[in-house]
Every structure is written in structure tokens, then in C-alpha cells.
Amino acid sequence: MKTQEIMARLQAKYPLEKEYLQAVQEVLESIEDVYNQHPEFEKAKIVERMVEPDRIFTFRVTWIDDKGEVQTNLGYRIQFNSAIGPYKGGLRFHKAVTPSMLKFLGFEQTFKNALTTLPMGGAKGGSDFDPVGKSNDEIMRFCQAFMLELWNCIGPDQDIPAGDVGVGGREIGYLYGMYKKLARQYNTGVLTGKGGTWGGSILRPEATGFGALYFTQHLLQKAGKDIKGKKVALSGFGNVAWGAATKATELGAKVVAISGPDGVCHIPEGITKEMIDYMLEMRASNRNKVEDMATKFPGKALFTAGKKAWSIPVDIALPCAFQNELSEDDAKELKANGCWCCCEVSNMGCQPGAIHFFQNNGILFAPGKAVNAGGVATSGLEMTQNAEHISWDAKEVDDKLHFIMKSIHEQCVKFGTQPDGHVDYVKGANIAGFMKVAQAMLEQGTI
Ligand code: 2IT
């Protein structure tokens, strides 16, 4: 395989799909050497097949807002790869959603799901619907209209969506209610992230953030360090940031910054339980403003407009919001302020220049597809409970999540340890995920 030739072909074919091209480039660069040691992959054209989604559904979603006006959005479901199991991945509702964004997310999801040790293929979906400023009724009407098209593409053994940016427990509830009505199927396993009384797994809401901190602990342990007493900056204040703030605080770290599209809140004394609880209200309000934290906790959370979480001096940076949210300049600012570790919790949260800067300057870095895989892994555990018609208790789910994150870290170390002994977590995660999917594709023939 010649990475440059494949990238040139994809660039010519999809010139505007920059997030998709970025995600593919990162994976191909990582796997090139290993791939070239396997002529059977080349013969079966594994890479050429793997970079294209199995299929893409695109649909119009029309709904009526609170003023009685007709609104039209676009909806998508991208079924990327089913080599190791049924399609699995979240739904993103955000005004900037495009096919490129969902293709990058579906591509990443395929390798991430392979890392979880569970049998799940990769998918992603969503809409350019903007939840900011929408009422609860509008959210419900939109979710129902979205499911009017989606229901026919999904199923507990075919494709199992979940949440992502803009889609949490409330939205999954509205989507599931409408799915049952349309499909007349009552198998709870069709969606994950459900409520606790109707098939949801305990700890699924916390799982992405908790898993990220378990991974971070393993990474620090391997580097001979400890999270206790360390200062942490995280971006966002949604579900992922909430779980990460909870577990980081529980493990003895001090979360001193959270951020939003409007700016950053510096919390010099460290985030408190009351503040973490308030993050949930901020998310549910659909205002999308981190300044609300400073208004609620004056003198404790200090808001600065237009600044990112990466401007606050910390030991550890945890991007928890959106792709490409941490640039090379941000990486330089973090280092200048003493930061020595960045675990990417958002999908592709760091720009390529930032990753290279971290790696070339001795800053510990691990990519989202390893760090944040605890979310989808716990979705996999939710599917198992649904299939068995039982619910596990918190300890059982947490123990399994722990085990999975430990295993993901081990896979990164196995495939990412370099001749000088240091671990390249980007290579490790990409090669480990790729090998599993590639092998499965090979064994299932040319399809
Ligand atoms: O990016 C992700 O892994 C998710 N949004 C969770 C997907 C899932 O199916 O739980």
C-alpha cells in the first residue's frame, strides 16, 4: 500500500470532505508498515474496501417548530463496516453535521469498536438539526420526525444507534418511543443509552468519561505517574465532560477548567459536586453557554469570553467536546504552561499539528478511539443485558468497563511500543483496531 496514492485518489474523489480525509490519513499512516508485511491484505484490497462505508442513508426530516412554522433538516445513517458485528455507533445532532463529519466518525467508530473486545461493527448518523435554543417539545417533534425515516434502517441485530453530541438520554427516549410505534418491535436492544427502567444499562451515562479516566490511569501508571493531586482542564460541559469531571475528582485530581463555545470557566479551587451536578442542568437547558456556571457559582467559577480550556495552566488536558478543538497553538500554550499529558476524549479532538507537537515534545498523548471507547463498550454491555432480558448492578458493569479499558491499554502497548521503548498510542490503537477488522474481512471473503 502506498498511503500517498490512496490519499490522492480519495482527495480527488471527495475534495470537500476534510474531516473524513483527516481521519483516513491518520489511520493509513499508522498502519502502512504493518500492512506491507501482509501481502494477503494487499491482494484482497482491504484498505480500498475499508475506507468506503458499506452504505449511506440520507433523508429529509420535516417537523413543525413552536411557532407553527415548518422546518426541514437532513438526516443520515452511515453503516460503515460490519466485519466484526452489527453496525454500532451514535447519532449526532449539531448544526455543522455533514456527510464528511459522519463518515469520519463512522470510520473511527469501526476501529474503536474493534478495540473494545466486543463484536460490534462501525456506524454513525445524525442531523444538521441545531438543538441550541430549542424547547423540549421541539426536540421531541424533531426526534419523532427523524425516526419516521430511520426506523427502517436499524434493528437490534442490524444497526444499533446511541447518543453523541446533541443526543442524550432525553433524545434516546423520544427516538425509542417512536421506533416502537413505527416498527411494532419491542426489543429494547435497538438503541443504547436508554433510561434505567426501560432497558438502559446502569453507568452508561457515565461510561465515556469514566472509561477515559480509567484509560488515563493506566497510561500514567505505565509512565510511572499518578493522577492524585494533578490539575486537569477539560473542554465542554456535556455528558462526556460530566463523566470525566466526576471520575477525575473521585480519583483525587483537581478539575480547574471547563469550557463551552462562549469561553472558559476557570475554577481555581477545583470543581465541586454541586458544579458537576449543575453541568447536567446546563446541558438540558439547550443554552450552550458555560458562562452559566460562573453565574450560578460567583467567585468560584471565573468566566472569560472567547478563551479555551487550554489557556489554563494544568498537568493534564482532556478534550471532551468536538473534533479539532485543540490546535497546534493550543498544544504549544499547554506545554508552555507546564502540561505534560493529553488524553483525547472527544473523537479526533486534536488537530494533526497538535498531535505531532505533543509526540515530538515528550508529552504523553493517547487518541480518542482508545480513550473514549468506554462509552460504546458500555453500549455493548447494554446490548448484552437487553439480549438476556436482565440488568446487571453497578459493580458488575463498572468491573467490566475497567477490564475493557485495561485491555484497550494493553492492545495499544502491544502494537504501539517503539524500538526505544516508548509507547506510540496513536499507532498502537490504529494498528490493533485495524488488524482485527482486516483479519475478519479477509476471512469473510470478497464482499
Ligand atoms: O463516539 C462514540 O463512541 C459514541 N458516541 C457512542 C456510540 C455508542 O454506540 O454508544
CSV table of all heavy atoms in Angstrom, one decimal, residues 394-415:
chain,number,residue,atom,x,y,z
A,394,ALA,N,-24.4,-2.0,39.4
A,394,ALA,CA,-23.3,-1.0,39.0
A,394,ALA,C,-21.9,-1.7,39.1
A,394,ALA,O,-21.1,-1.4,38.3
A,394,ALA,CB,-23.4,0.2,39.9
A,395,LYS,N,-21.7,-2.5,40.1
A,395,LYS,CA,-20.4,-3.1,40.3
A,395,LYS,C,-20.0,-4.0,39.1
A,395,LYS,O,-18.9,-3.9,38.6
A,395,LYS,CB,-20.3,-3.9,41.6
A,395,LYS,CG,-19.0,-4.5,41.8
A,395,LYS,CD,-18.8,-5.2,43.1
A,395,LYS,CE,-17.4,-5.8,43.4
A,395,LYS,NZ,-16.7,-6.2,42.2
A,396,GLU,N,-21.0,-4.8,38.6
A,396,GLU,CA,-20.7,-5.7,37.5
A,396,GLU,C,-20.4,-4.9,36.2
A,396,GLU,O,-19.4,-5.2,35.5
A,396,GLU,CB,-22.0,-6.6,37.3
A,396,GLU,CG,-21.7,-7.6,36.2
A,396,GLU,CD,-22.5,-8.9,36.4
A,396,GLU,OE1,-23.4,-8.9,37.2
A,396,GLU,OE2,-22.2,-9.9,35.7
A,397,VAL,N,-21.2,-3.8,36.0
A,397,VAL,CA,-20.9,-3.0,34.8
A,397,VAL,C,-19.5,-2.3,34.9
A,397,VAL,O,-18.7,-2.3,34.0
A,397,VAL,CB,-22.0,-2.0,34.5
A,397,VAL,CG1,-21.7,-1.1,33.3
A,397,VAL,CG2,-23.3,-2.7,34.3
A,398,ASP,N,-19.3,-1.7,36.1
A,398,ASP,CA,-18.0,-1.0,36.3
A,398,ASP,C,-16.8,-1.9,36.2
A,398,ASP,O,-15.8,-1.6,35.6
A,398,ASP,CB,-18.1,-0.3,37.7
A,398,ASP,CG,-17.1,0.9,37.8
A,398,ASP,OD1,-16.8,1.5,36.8
A,398,ASP,OD2,-16.5,1.1,38.9
A,399,ASP,N,-16.9,-3.1,36.8
A,399,ASP,CA,-15.8,-4.1,36.7
A,399,ASP,C,-15.5,-4.4,35.2
A,399,ASP,O,-14.4,-4.5,34.8
A,399,ASP,CB,-16.2,-5.4,37.4
A,399,ASP,CG,-16.1,-5.2,39.0
A,399,ASP,OD1,-15.6,-4.2,39.4
A,399,ASP,OD2,-16.5,-6.1,39.7
A,400,LYS,N,-16.6,-4.6,34.5
A,400,LYS,CA,-16.4,-5.0,33.0
A,400,LYS,C,-15.8,-3.8,32.3
A,400,LYS,O,-14.9,-4.0,31.4
A,400,LYS,CB,-17.8,-5.4,32.4
A,400,LYS,CG,-18.2,-6.8,32.9
A,400,LYS,CD,-19.4,-7.3,32.1
A,400,LYS,CE,-19.7,-8.7,32.3
A,400,LYS,NZ,-20.1,-9.2,33.6
A,401,LEU,N,-16.3,-2.6,32.6
A,401,LEU,CA,-15.7,-1.4,31.9
A,401,LEU,C,-14.2,-1.3,32.3
A,401,LEU,O,-13.4,-1.0,31.4
A,401,LEU,CB,-16.5,-0.1,32.4
A,401,LEU,CG,-16.0,1.2,31.9
A,401,LEU,CD1,-15.9,1.3,30.4
A,401,LEU,CD2,-16.8,2.4,32.5
A,402,HIS,N,-13.9,-1.5,33.5
A,402,HIS,CA,-12.5,-1.4,34.0
A,402,HIS,C,-11.6,-2.4,33.1
A,402,HIS,O,-10.6,-2.1,32.6
A,402,HIS,CB,-12.4,-1.9,35.4
A,402,HIS,CG,-12.1,-0.7,36.4
A,402,HIS,ND1,-10.9,-0.1,36.4
A,402,HIS,CD2,-12.9,-0.2,37.3
A,402,HIS,CE1,-11.0,0.8,37.3
A,402,HIS,NE2,-12.2,0.8,37.9
A,403,PHE,N,-12.2,-3.6,33.0
A,403,PHE,CA,-11.5,-4.7,32.4
A,403,PHE,C,-11.2,-4.3,30.9
A,403,PHE,O,-10.2,-4.5,30.3
A,403,PHE,CB,-12.3,-6.0,32.5
A,403,PHE,CG,-11.6,-7.2,31.7
A,403,PHE,CD1,-10.6,-7.9,32.3
A,403,PHE,CD2,-12.1,-7.5,30.5
A,403,PHE,CE1,-10.0,-8.9,31.6
A,403,PHE,CE2,-11.5,-8.5,29.8
A,403,PHE,CZ,-10.5,-9.3,30.3
A,404,ILE,N,-12.3,-3.8,30.3
A,404,ILE,CA,-12.2,-3.4,28.8
A,404,ILE,C,-11.2,-2.3,28.6
A,404,ILE,O,-10.3,-2.4,27.7
A,404,ILE,CB,-13.6,-3.0,28.3
A,404,ILE,CG1,-14.5,-4.3,28.2
A,404,ILE,CG2,-13.5,-2.3,26.9
A,404,ILE,CD1,-15.9,-4.0,27.9
A,405,MET,N,-11.2,-1.3,29.5
A,405,MET,CA,-10.2,-0.2,29.3
A,405,MET,C,-8.8,-0.7,29.5
A,405,MET,O,-7.9,-0.2,28.9
A,405,MET,CB,-10.5,1.0,30.3
A,405,MET,CG,-11.9,1.6,30.1
A,405,MET,SD,-12.4,2.0,28.3
A,405,MET,CE,-11.2,3.2,27.8
A,406,LYS,N,-8.6,-1.6,30.5
A,406,LYS,CA,-7.3,-2.2,30.7
A,406,LYS,C,-6.8,-2.9,29.5
A,406,LYS,O,-5.7,-2.8,29.0
A,406,LYS,CB,-7.4,-3.1,31.9
A,406,LYS,CG,-6.1,-3.8,32.3
A,406,LYS,CD,-6.2,-4.4,33.7
A,406,LYS,CE,-5.0,-5.1,34.1
A,406,LYS,NZ,-5.0,-6.5,33.7
A,407,SER,N,-7.8,-3.7,28.9
A,407,SER,CA,-7.4,-4.4,27.7
A,407,SER,C,-7.1,-3.5,26.5
A,407,SER,O,-6.2,-3.8,25.7
A,407,SER,CB,-8.6,-5.3,27.3
A,407,SER,OG,-8.6,-5.6,26.0
A,408,ILE,N,-7.8,-2.4,26.4
A,408,ILE,CA,-7.5,-1.4,25.3
A,408,ILE,C,-6.1,-0.9,25.5
A,408,ILE,O,-5.4,-0.7,24.5
A,408,ILE,CB,-8.6,-0.3,25.2
A,408,ILE,CG1,-10.0,-0.9,24.9
A,408,ILE,CG2,-8.2,0.8,24.2
A,408,ILE,CD1,-11.1,0.0,24.9
A,409,HIS,N,-5.8,-0.5,26.7
A,409,HIS,CA,-4.5,0.0,27.0
A,409,HIS,C,-3.4,-1.0,26.7
A,409,HIS,O,-2.4,-0.7,26.0
A,409,HIS,CB,-4.4,0.4,28.5
A,409,HIS,CG,-3.1,1.1,28.8
A,409,HIS,ND1,-2.0,0.4,29.4
A,409,HIS,CD2,-2.6,2.3,28.5
A,409,HIS,CE1,-1.0,1.2,29.5
A,409,HIS,NE2,-1.3,2.4,29.0
A,410,GLU,N,-3.7,-2.3,27.0
A,410,GLU,CA,-2.7,-3.4,26.7
A,410,GLU,C,-2.5,-3.5,25.2
A,410,GLU,O,-1.4,-3.7,24.7
A,410,GLU,CB,-3.2,-4.7,27.3
A,410,GLU,CG,-2.9,-4.8,28.8
A,410,GLU,CD,-3.6,-5.9,29.5
A,410,GLU,OE1,-4.4,-6.7,28.8
A,410,GLU,OE2,-3.5,-6.0,30.7
A,411,GLN,N,-3.6,-3.4,24.4
A,411,GLN,CA,-3.5,-3.5,23.0
A,411,GLN,C,-2.7,-2.4,22.4
A,411,GLN,O,-1.9,-2.6,21.5
A,411,GLN,CB,-4.9,-3.5,22.3
A,411,GLN,CG,-5.8,-4.7,22.7
A,411,GLN,CD,-7.2,-4.5,22.1
A,411,GLN,OE1,-7.4,-4.5,20.9
A,411,GLN,NE2,-8.2,-4.3,23.0
A,412,CYS,N,-2.9,-1.2,23.0
A,412,CYS,CA,-2.1,0.0,22.5
A,412,CYS,C,-0.6,-0.3,22.8
A,412,CYS,O,0.3,0.0,21.9
A,412,CYS,CB,-2.5,1.3,23.2
A,412,CYS,SG,-4.1,1.8,22.7
A,413,VAL,N,-0.3,-0.8,23.9
A,413,VAL,CA,1.1,-1.1,24.3
A,413,VAL,C,1.7,-2.1,23.4
A,413,VAL,O,2.8,-2.0,22.9
A,413,VAL,CB,1.2,-1.5,25.8
A,413,VAL,CG1,2.6,-1.9,26.2
A,413,VAL,CG2,0.8,-0.3,26.7
A,414,LYS,N,0.9,-3.2,23.2
A,414,LYS,CA,1.4,-4.3,22.3
A,414,LYS,C,1.7,-3.8,20.9
A,414,LYS,O,2.8,-4.2,20.4
A,414,LYS,CB,0.3,-5.4,22.3
A,414,LYS,CG,0.6,-6.6,21.4
A,414,LYS,CD,-0.4,-7.7,21.5
A,414,LYS,CE,-0.1,-8.7,20.4
A,414,LYS,NZ,-1.3,-9.5,20.1
A,415,PHE,N,0.8,-3.1,20.3
A,415,PHE,CA,1.1,-2.7,18.9
A,415,PHE,C,1.8,-1.3,18.8
A,415,PHE,O,2.2,-0.9,17.7
A,415,PHE,CB,-0.3,-2.6,18.2
A,415,PHE,CG,-0.8,-4.0,17.9
A,415,PHE,CD1,-1.8,-4.5,18.7
A,415,PHE,CD2,-0.4,-4.8,16.8
A,415,PHE,CE1,-2.3,-5.8,18.5
A,415,PHE,CE2,-0.9,-6.0,16.6
A,415,PHE,CZ,-1.9,-6.6,17.4
